[in-house]
Amino acid sequence: MRFMLLMIPKGYESAAPGTMPETDAVDAMMDYNRKLQDAGILLGCEGLHPPSMGARVSFNSGKALVTDGPFTETKEVLGGFWMIQVPSKAEAIRWASLCPASDNEVIEVRQVQEMEDFSEDIQQIAADFVTMQSS
């Protein structure tokens, strides 16, 4: 099973453009990333720039509306993620619990939907999706 570990750092929603983590925090996180890699479960990981550097595209009556960050109404935002492959949710939670996160950070653990999770009719509709992913 694949799981995303979503890092939600409190306060990041109002971080200024170009805000970067402290060196010691990056060092600890890289050590954690190496442990995931050495365990053979890390599929990918990335950090995200603050929302003040991003944009949101919302939809109303089929029309796209672009809003540049920061997003004042937002209480929580993603700071980064890991994609891991482990046999169970319990194992994903165990790995998330080993992260050297600070007191202001939360990790949300979410299972990725696999094609076999869907009904047969949806699998038929999305049959060429695997091809699209590798393009």
Side-chain angles (χ1 to χ4, degrees):
M1 295 182 209
R2 292 182 301 153
F3 288 86
M4 284 197 83
L5 309 181
L6 304 165
M7 176 60 79
I8 305 169
K10 289 182 174 71
Y12 204 49
E13 65 276 2
S14 59
T19 298
M20 299 301 275
E22 297 293 324
T23 304
D24 58 340
V26 173
D27 188 44
M29 204 58 72
M30 289 306 297
D31 189 46
Y32 174 68
N33 294 342
R34 280 187 211 91
K35 288 176 183 170
L36 294 169
Q37 190 173 41
D38 291 346
I41 64 169
L42 182 64
L43 301 175
C45 62
E46 301 289 340
L48 301 172
H49 282 283
S52 57
M53 296 176 66
R56 286 191 173 174
V57 181
S58 58
F59 298 87
N60 188 357
S61 301
K63 297 197 185 248
L65 173 66
V66 178
T67 305
D68 288 324
F71 315 110
T72 55
E73 72 284 354
T74 303
K75 298 203 179 348
E76 293 182 335
V77 297
L78 294 179
F81 67 91
W82 297 265
M83 177 74 77
I84 62 173
Q85 187 159 9
V86 292
S88 67
K89 179 179 170 185
E91 185 69 3
I93 291 169
R94 184 180 81 77
W95 280 101
S97 299
L98 296 174
C99 181
S102 63
D103 290 346
N104 72 326
E105 296 173 317
V106 172
I107 295 176
E108 185 174 327
V109 177
R110 302 275 302 274
Q111 186 174 351
V112 175
Q113 292 176 327
E114 303 291 355
M115 192 59 73
E116 57 270 12
D117 295 335
F118 293 99
S119 63
E120 187 61 38
D121 58 332
I122 292 176
Q123 288 184 38
Q124 288 176 358
I125 292 168
D128 63 344
F129 184 66
V130 174
T131 305
M132 285 185 226
Q133 287 181 310
S134 60
S135 297

